[in-house]
Amino acid sequence: AASPGSYLWEALENPASLKNVFLPGMVWDEGQLIYQAMRAERVTWWRCPNGHLYSIGECGGPVVQTRCTHPGCNQVIGGLGHQAARGNRRLGTFYEMHKDKDVHSTRGYVISGGGYQDTQAADGYQAASYSVARSGYVMPKESVCFFRLLLHLVLLAGAELRAAPAVEVARRLGAADVANRMEADFLHLKQSLQWSTNEVILALHMALERLGPLLSMAGGLFETTAQCERFETLIEEQVIRPLFLSA
């Protein structure tokens, strides 16, 4: 975090500033895994009035009304005569969303479908949370664990320096929650690598030594998904693969 202006510097000094930028290892698009799985299908994606995803096949226009099946929602979805029911919003086909990825991507601290911005820290922070898709590939789990572990470590350090009970990067995210997530990141990384605790700690120390100059090369905060993906690729090639995935 020693590179002023980097996202880790901001995580230490001003975590609230990270709400409007893209972060490495985060789930930018809450429907990304669905989109990847369905990219060859002729469907158009919509959101119900409460923001839940659903799809319409064929031409993609609403011709039937029904109810959203998301637990506790029950809002009217679809529509009649190609007119959407009130409050329903068209996102587009996979290709339309891919073309305008920055528009349809979620900025800030988003870990699993955007839910971590609004829920308690312990909810659902499991192995599935580390499945992160990018343009044409899925990030190695070890990469996601590394980026998350690093961010949580710096966020926790900043909270302790400010004696702050909460971390402003997300609503209702306390310092204790960050510490729990950091521990989960470490344990998932260790389990994935099948290394001892000391081996993981040694590799992390070596990774931090390599990271400083690369943060300076990356410049400031990531305003677009392309900028963030370039940084992720750089760190994977220069740090993560040589130190964690070379065996």
Side-chain angles (χ1 to χ4, degrees), residues 146 193 195 199-200 202-211 235-247:
F146 176 79
L193 294 169
W195 289 0
E199 287 174 324
V200 177
L202 177 60
L204 287 171
H205 276 292
M206 297 172 65
L208 291 176
E209 290 180 357
R210 297 189 182 193
L211 190 65
I235 300 305
E236 281 189 7
E237 292 177 349
Q238 300 291 325
V239 178
I240 297 170
R241 292 191 183 278
L243 294 177
F244 297 95
L245 300 174
S246 61

Side-chain angles (χ1 to χ4, degrees), residues 211-231:
L211 190 65
L214 299 177
L215 280 171
S216 299
M217 289 173 54
L221 301 176
F222 307 119
E223 300 290 342
T224 68
T225 56
Q227 290 174 338
C228 197
E229 280 194 69
R230 283 196 294 270
F231 176 75

